[in-house]
Amino acid sequence: MQSLSEANGNRRMRVAEPLHRVSRGSLRSSGVRVLLICLLAVLAATGANAQCPLENTAFLPGERLEYKLFFNWKFVWIGAGTAYMTTKETTYKGRPAYEGCLLTTTSKRIDRFFCMRDTLTSIVTTDLVPLYYRKGANEGGKLRLNEVTYSYPDGQSHVDLLYVNPYGERTSENIIDPACVYDMLSMMMRARSLDGSDFKVGDKILFQMADGKKVETQTLVYRGKKNFKTEETKITYRCMVFSFVEYKGKKENEVITFYVTDDDNHIPVRLDMFLRFGVAKAYLKSCTGVRNPETSIVSK
């Protein structure tokens, strides 16, 4: 198996290995850059078939998750905005599919300093294979578009990438990869149906992620289980804790730490995001249309 640094250095010369999980103690060097995202969920190993179908056991169409965003400003936590994650049934090129949508909006108070209006949409098959992804972002008055279209001839992932920068300049590329490739939302939708009961603290999980400009190998680390009490609902959940990390030489840098309910719903209830200009947090405020019993609730 090639190292992460080798995989990224040879991205244009050879395709990457399939998605896999690595035990703690290995993979000590990497030069990957991490794409900061707002919502991620637990991801585990899958087979080598690039389409990687998986039965959806975690959500139903009509589910709605609401998050409250906070930002640390000079040692004071202030409300920064809201985020909504919804799922519905749709059709894509004549076939039944699921559409996940994430809307992120800063509050009027924060808009005076930095306005953010992001809309992320991901379409997957009913067995959670990525088909299409779009991110339209208005961040600080700068408009960007990221778009990813997937197809699977010959059992490989064909990933068409499109990026439009704030000046209207377009770049596109096609990547062929034998591994499963995900965007930030299709990855989360799929991951919620995976069983993480066999994880050990320190396990590293590698996956291929597309963002409209590139496909890169990324890393999650399993940190163990911990109870978390939400700020808004005062509900205490038993959670699995994961970290989205990047490597600089042998140093591991935390980018996002997130808490996922330890039940069949696998709902992200808390995210700690370590930004270059501070720390942001997202807490689950409400959830409706949940598919499975919420057995991870410790107390209300």
Side-chain angles (χ1 to χ4, degrees):
M1 180 65 64
Q2 68 188 118
S3 69
L4 284 182
S5 56
E6 291 170 338
N8 284 287
N10 297 330
R11 163 57 57 185
R12 294 295 174 259
M13 294 182 286
R14 59 177 295 189
V15 292
E17 297 286 344
L19 180 72
H20 58 288
R21 183 155 60 97
V22 181
S23 297
R24 61 180 179 269
S26 60
L27 288 177
R28 294 300 185 185
S29 64
S30 168
V32 299
R33 292 178 298 156
V34 176
L35 172 66
L36 181 62
I37 62 180
C38 290
L39 285 175
L40 281 176
V42 53
L43 190 64
T46 66
N49 186 329
Q51 294 191 46
C52 297
L54 180 71
E55 180 184 3
N56 168 37
T57 60
F59 63 84
L60 290 172
E63 181 188 77
R64 184 177 187 274
L65 310 176
E66 180 181 356
Y67 295 85
K68 192 168 183 178
L69 309 178
F70 295 88
F71 179 70
N72 186 265
W73 178 260
K74 296 182 178 180
F75 305 104
V76 177
W77 287 98
I78 58 176
T82 56
Y84 301 90
M85 175 73 182
T86 59
T87 307
K88 68 177 184 180
E89 290 180 312
T90 189
T91 57
Y92 183 80
K93 295 184 178 180
R95 63 189 299 187
Y98 295 127
E99 179 180 309
C101 186
L102 173 65
L103 304 176
T104 305
T105 305
T106 48
S107 64
K108 292 182 179 180
R109 182 180 182 184
I110 297 298
D111 282 349
R112 292 179 295 175
F113 305 99
F114 184 84
C115 178
M116 182 175 69
R117 302 288 187 273
D118 288 357
T119 302
L120 287 70
T121 302
S122 186
I123 298 176
V124 301
T125 66
T126 54
D127 53 3
L128 306 177
V129 177
L131 296 173
Y132 175 77
Y133 167 76
R134 184 184 190 277
K135 176 183 177 182
N138 180 351
E139 298 175 351
K142 296 182 179 180
L143 304 178
R144 295 178 176 85
L145 171 67
N146 298 68
E147 191 174 63
V148 183
T149 305
Y150 305 87
S151 60
Y152 302 94
D154 304 320
Q156 298 191 94
S157 296
H158 288 242
V159 187
D160 292 314
L161 308 174
L162 172 65
Y163 174 69
V164 182
N165 69 18
Y167 305 101
E169 298 168 341
R170 301 163 65 94
T171 57
S172 61
E173 188 171 1
N174 175 264
I175 302 293
I176 300 175
D177 201 315
C180 308
V181 179
Y182 310 91
D183 51 80
M184 57 187 73
L185 282 189
S186 64
M187 178 177 62
M188 188 184 76
M189 294 169 73
R190 174 187 176 82
R192 291 179 58 187
S193 290
L194 293 168
D195 180 9
S197 61
D198 64 339
F199 282 120
K200 296 180 181 179
V201 175
D203 277 356
K204 290 183 171 64
I205 304 129
L206 309 184
F207 59 95
Q208 298 294 91
M209 189 164 75
D211 68 351
K213 292 189 287 185
K214 57 191 176 296
V215 175
E216 286 190 324
T217 303
Q218 304 289 16
T219 306
L220 296 177
V221 182
Y222 177 57
R223 302 300 190 189
K225 295 184 180 182
K226 187 176 181 179
N227 289 351
F228 167 66
K229 185 176 182 179
T230 62
E231 295 290 324
E232 296 292 324
T233 64
K234 306 303 180 184
I235 297 175
T236 300
Y237 293 93
R238 182 183 66 256
C239 298
M240 296 182 290
V241 183
F242 292 82
S243 297
F244 189 25
V245 301
E246 65 178 354
Y247 293 90
K248 293 183 179 179
K250 296 182 178 181
K251 185 179 179 181
E252 181 180 276
N253 294 321
E254 198 102 352
V255 180
I256 305 177
T257 299
F258 52 97
Y259 294 65
V260 181
T261 58
D262 186 22
D263 56 27
D264 290 337
N265 298 302
H266 292 151
I267 297 173
V269 295
R270 169 183 171 180
L271 299 101
D272 299 344
M273 295 162 277
F274 303 94
L275 313 177
R276 292 181 179 178
F277 51 85
V279 179
K281 294 181 182 289
Y283 296 134
L284 182 69
K285 182 177 180 180
S286 67
C287 55
T288 57
V290 175
R291 176 171 184 165
N292 301 300
E294 297 181 82
T295 57
S296 64
I297 293 179
V298 177
S299 64
K300 293 185 177 181

